[in-house]
Amino acid sequence: MSRFCANLTMLFTEYPLLERPMEAAKAGFSGVEILFPYDVNAAELGSALARAKMPLALINCPPPNYADPDGPRGFAAVVGEEDRFKQSFRRTIRYAGALGAEHVHIMAGVAKGPAARACFVENLKWAAAFAPKQSLTIEPINTHDMPGYFLNSFDLALEVLDEVDAPNLNLQFDAYHASRIEGDILGVWDKVRHKAAHIQVGGVPDRHEPEGGDFNYPSFFKLLEKNKYSGWISGEYHPAGRTEENLSWIS
């Protein structure tokens, strides 16, 4: 049985963040993810999640000033920012513990070259050892949406996961990004599904609701059940209208 969660950073934005968990519950979601919850008091957010009886599937490990549109998009692969990464990660783990977040996504940031790769691997090894009971993920992101992002290849992600070799570090598979990066969502999924701990979906090519468009999501969801995938499937997309107007994809 598929477990669908709502990305509250993108969905239900018609409401204040603390009201979104309840709206997601009313709409039929079983859980939520919040990319960057750090501007909200953790106790208040925890209470909002508890009132809605919504588990928190995932949060991101960000730079403190992610709200800055020109700010960095993570720095786990940025040489010279190792101390900053560790400080940010410690903060994220405190939030994850307070909110019961199942996964923490570690963002690589804008970087390139062998030194960045080595930095990324070492930071991930440190993070996995620092929080051995916390599930961690890395996610390939296409460079059209995020220019210069270091982890922009699924092959590279598999290489990094093998090199880090930590039981609590796995892949975050975003179908929209897979389409943008390789143009073949099913082919990429078949290649990486043994490492996938969390899935995100959005329409192709417009990143609206995951239905119609260039990819058959109902068939993909059936394939996930056939593959015995038991993790979350998160709607991470920009609604074409109000969020509640089109949620048929989760039914």
Side-chain angles (χ1 to χ4, degrees):
M1 184 71 177
S2 297
R3 295 191 298 156
F4 292 106
C5 71
N7 182 308
L8 297 187
T9 303
M10 294 185 177
L11 305 187
F12 301 101
T13 56
E14 303 87 355
Y15 305 93
L17 179 59
L18 293 179
E19 295 179 16
R20 294 176 201 172
M22 187 63 74
E23 295 303 322
K26 292 177 183 177
F29 287 98
S30 301
V32 298
E33 65 177 22
I34 305 172
L35 301 186
F36 306 101
Y38 307 99
D39 291 334
V40 178
N41 180 277
E44 292 181 2
L45 181 54
S47 294
L49 292 168
R51 284 194 301 272
K53 298 181 180 178
M54 294 297 267
L56 182 60
L58 178 140
I59 62 174
N60 281 359
C61 180
N65 65 338
Y66 189 90
D68 177 3
D70 298 318
R73 297 315 192 225
F75 30 73
V78 181
V79 176
E81 296 282 17
E82 292 86 351
D83 289 342
R84 188 181 181 190
F85 167 74
K86 291 177 180 179
Q87 179 183 6
S88 175
F89 185 78
R90 291 187 183 100
R91 182 185 183 201
T92 298
I93 292 301
R94 290 196 296 271
Y95 265 82
L99 299 173
E102 183 173 342
H103 304 296
V104 167
H105 167 215
I106 298 177
M107 299 192 73
V110 174
K112 63 180 179 179
R117 186 186 188 285
C119 178
F120 192 40
V121 168
E122 289 307 309
N123 277 335
L124 291 173
K125 286 181 177 180
W126 175 87
F130 180 84
K133 295 182 179 181
Q134 176 65 60
S135 172
L136 309 174
T137 66
I138 57 173
E139 175 192 14
I141 297 177
N142 79 83
T143 54
H144 173 82
D145 287 46
M146 200 170 289
Y149 193 73
F150 174 74
L151 190 62
N152 55 34
S153 159
F154 283 89
D155 290 334
L156 175 59
L158 291 179
E159 292 174 8
V160 168
L161 289 172
D162 285 345
E163 188 168 345
V164 175
D165 193 25
N168 59 326
L169 177 67
N170 288 288
L171 183 76
Q172 185 169 318
F173 177 83
D174 187 305
Y176 166 78
H177 288 303
S179 175
R180 278 284 194 176
I181 293 170
E182 294 198 21
D184 178 9
I185 296 174
L186 294 181
V188 177
W189 171 249
D190 188 59
K191 177 171 60 176
V192 305
R193 63 187 176 91
H194 65 292
K195 290 289 189 179
H198 186 71
I199 290 175
Q200 294 168 324
V201 296
V204 178
D206 55 17
R207 209 177 191 184
H208 291 320
E209 286 76 3
E211 60 181 14
D214 296 341
F215 184 65
N216 188 327
Y217 270 110
S219 293
F220 181 54
F221 297 150
K222 290 179 181 178
L223 175 63
L224 295 180
E225 291 189 3
K226 181 179 178 181
N227 293 158
K228 301 186 184 306
Y229 171 76
S230 59
W232 292 103
I233 302 171
S234 174
E236 189 189 44
Y237 60 89
H238 303 288
R242 288 182 63 87
T243 303
E244 301 98 319
E245 290 176 348
N246 192 354
L247 291 173
S248 59
W249 65 274
I250 68 171
S251 61

